[in-house]
Amino acid sequence: MGFSALTLSFLLLAFVPHQLHASNHGLFGTKYVTTNVDGICTSSVIVHGYKCQELEVTTKDGYILSLQRIPEGRGEVSGTWTKKQPVIIQHGVLVDGMTWLLNPPEQDLPLILADNGFDVWIANTRGTRYSRRHISLDPSNPAFWNWSWDELVAYDLPAVFDYVFKETGQKINYVGHSLGTLIALASFSEGKLVNQVKSAALLSPIAYLSHMNTALGVVAAKTFVGEFTTLFGLAEFNPRGIPVNAFLHSLCAYPGIDCYDLLTALTAVRDGFLSKFNYVTPTYNYMHYGELFPPIYNLSNIPHDIPIFISYGGKDALSDVHDVVNLLDSLKFHDVDKLSVQFIKDYAHADYIMGINARDIVYNVVLAFFNRPFNI
């Protein structure tokens, strides 16, 4: 069975992990700007009868991030926004906040949360469609893309948390999918955000990428992690572009690769532990870290009293069951009443954001978790 450009586009946007080139850290302060430029609010929220505000947050290293706020439910009489519990929703790798709004409104997590009394904030990480600006760099400049996901931990997530905390004056509930779980776990392990977070719901968590479900995963893991800028020129990833299309066709032509079902087959495998960006050459690692190998994010350092909900699927080729078990082992000393785990036998990676039954199976459980006594 062949695969279409649309299938490839969604597959890559939803599943392909990337490590871009090393970072150049600037000394910029964080600033906050409100804008009325059309974006996610206009196209996917206001059209359904919800209030929505487009915002911008500038990170300490100068990236201007798009942020959407849905302060209340549809048809709700306007009240004081800060009285509601804030929720930050963080998308996965190479997609943006729009990924949460692809289904009808009654099936979309941000709108469900808004209708259930939460003050919803949709984050968009650097380099994505709505966060492709910098105070001094242009996306056409390779320096704009000179970062890895470590910068999302060091700059993007803190900038968004700081802004929401400043605006609401309340601790924040957090929902992350895929990469959104990775950067949260890494942040918590280093003591970041722990004084601002109220609870965290981690859907299809990514931490220990050590198990491979298919030959395609093996080839992809050896090929694309950290090498996209070499293959395609810029780290800005265009899944409809000819280079990417050719790249995937070459993967699927590899001996032993069956691309019949790319959506569930592709997985990402590297070292089997969570570490900072690897400069490959020990000399460069030593220059940046003072060590020959990149430092590890020790997930056992996550404070044991942070309420955490984890949901993972039996058919998820990226958030592999064995790797989630390893993650749970890292959390074995977590306060028993502060850790909730859900296993969904038939769920795959994309079901958490696009499944038509996600509301009944996952989102209602997330709502119940956020409404538990320790979260109120």
Side-chain angles (χ1 to χ4, degrees):
M1 180 178 178
F3 46 91
S4 68
L6 180 59
T7 300
L8 291 176
S9 298
F10 177 76
L11 168 74
L12 281 167
L13 288 175
F15 294 100
V16 177
H18 71 312
Q19 287 181 320
L20 310 184
H21 285 186
S23 63
N24 252 337
H25 295 226
L27 299 176
F28 307 108
T30 301
K31 63 180 181 179
Y32 311 110
V33 182
T34 301
T35 179
N36 293 318
V37 176
D38 288 349
I40 291 176
C41 281
T42 299
S43 64
S44 302
V45 180
I46 295 174
V47 293
H48 297 304
Y50 293 82
K51 293 182 174 63
C52 188
Q53 187 177 14
E54 292 280 355
L55 303 162
E56 290 179 354
V57 179
T58 303
T59 68
K60 289 184 178 179
D61 60 344
Y63 287 84
I64 302 172
L65 310 179
S66 172
L67 180 65
Q68 289 77 41
R69 184 183 193 182
I70 308 171
E72 55 195 50
R74 180 164 48 183
E76 182 179 339
V77 177
S78 297
T80 304
W81 294 2
T82 54
K83 289 183 178 179
K84 297 186 174 187
Q85 290 189 46
V87 181
I88 292 174
I89 305 183
Q90 175 64 58
H91 59 78
V93 69
L94 291 178
V95 293
D96 51 49
M98 186 73 79
T99 192
W100 297 105
L101 298 161
L102 298 177
N103 285 332
E106 62 275 7
Q107 296 174 4
D108 291 333
L109 180 57
L111 305 183
I112 292 170
L113 288 169
D115 283 336
N116 280 272
F118 289 89
D119 180 5
V120 181
W121 304 73
I122 302 175
N124 298 267
T125 58
R126 65 181 64 191
T128 55
R129 178 173 28 168
Y130 301 104
S131 297
R132 205 163 292 166
R133 294 170 59 205
H134 190 276
I135 62 173
S136 62
L137 298 173
D138 187 88
S140 62
N141 184 343
F144 179 91
W145 304 98
N146 193 21
W147 46 270
S148 76
W149 67 267
D150 291 324
E151 276 62 47
L152 308 186
V153 174
Y155 298 110
D156 287 29
L157 207 54
V160 173
F161 262 77
D162 286 348
Y163 182 76
V164 174
F165 189 75
K166 174 178 177 290
E167 290 296 311
T168 65
Q170 298 185 72
K171 285 194 171 184
I172 301 159
N173 298 293
Y174 177 85
V175 178
H177 174 252
S178 186
L179 177 71
T181 71
L182 179 71
I183 60 178
L185 289 167
S187 296
F188 298 157
S189 75
E190 294 201 322
K192 297 183 176 73
L193 314 179
V194 296
N195 294 323
Q196 296 170 311
V197 70
K198 189 178 187 69
S199 64
L202 308 179
L203 312 180
S204 192
I206 304 299
Y208 298 109
L209 300 178
S210 59
H211 290 83
M212 298 170 275
N213 292 346
T214 65
L216 176 61
V218 179
V219 178
K222 291 180 178 178
T223 304
F224 59 59
V225 180
E227 286 85 31
F228 270 125
T229 50
T230 301
L231 287 170
F232 307 132
L234 285 178
E236 178 182 15
F237 192 77
N238 177 10
R240 297 182 183 275
I242 293 176
V244 176
N245 206 348
F247 170 65
L248 280 183
H249 275 83
S250 68
L251 274 185
C252 294
Y254 194 87
I257 301 298
D258 180 5
C259 286
Y260 178 80
D261 189 0
L262 281 175
L263 194 61
T264 57
L266 186 59
T267 187
V269 186
R270 288 308 261 190
D271 298 322
F273 51 82
L274 186 59
S275 65
K276 296 192 176 183
F277 183 83
N278 190 344
Y279 291 87
V280 182
T281 305
T283 302
Y284 286 114
N285 281 331
Y286 192 82
M287 287 172 55
H288 287 272
Y289 303 124
E291 303 174 27
L292 296 180
F293 299 97
I296 292 174
Y297 290 105
N298 187 350
L299 300 187
S300 64
N301 288 338
I302 294 174
H304 299 168
D305 60 349
I306 295 178
I308 295 176
F309 168 74
I310 290 175
S311 181
Y312 65 110
K315 293 186 177 179
D316 193 328
L318 181 53
S319 180
D320 184 90
V321 170
H322 297 288
D323 292 319
V324 176
V325 170
N326 287 340
L327 167 62
L328 294 175
D329 185 63
S330 297
L331 301 174
K332 61 187 175 184
F333 297 117
H334 212 79
D335 291 357
V336 175
D337 64 335
K338 299 293 178 66
L339 180 62
S340 300
V341 180
Q342 177 189 46
F343 173 68
I344 309 172
K345 181 179 179 180
D346 296 325
Y347 251 45
H349 204 67
D351 290 326
Y352 283 93
I353 53 174
M354 295 190 68
I356 59 175
N357 61 357
R359 174 173 185 150
D360 295 331
I361 295 178
V362 182
Y363 301 163
N364 284 343
V365 181
V366 171
L367 280 170
F369 172 73
F370 285 158
N371 285 320
R372 286 178 61 177
F374 54 66
N375 282 334
I376 297 176

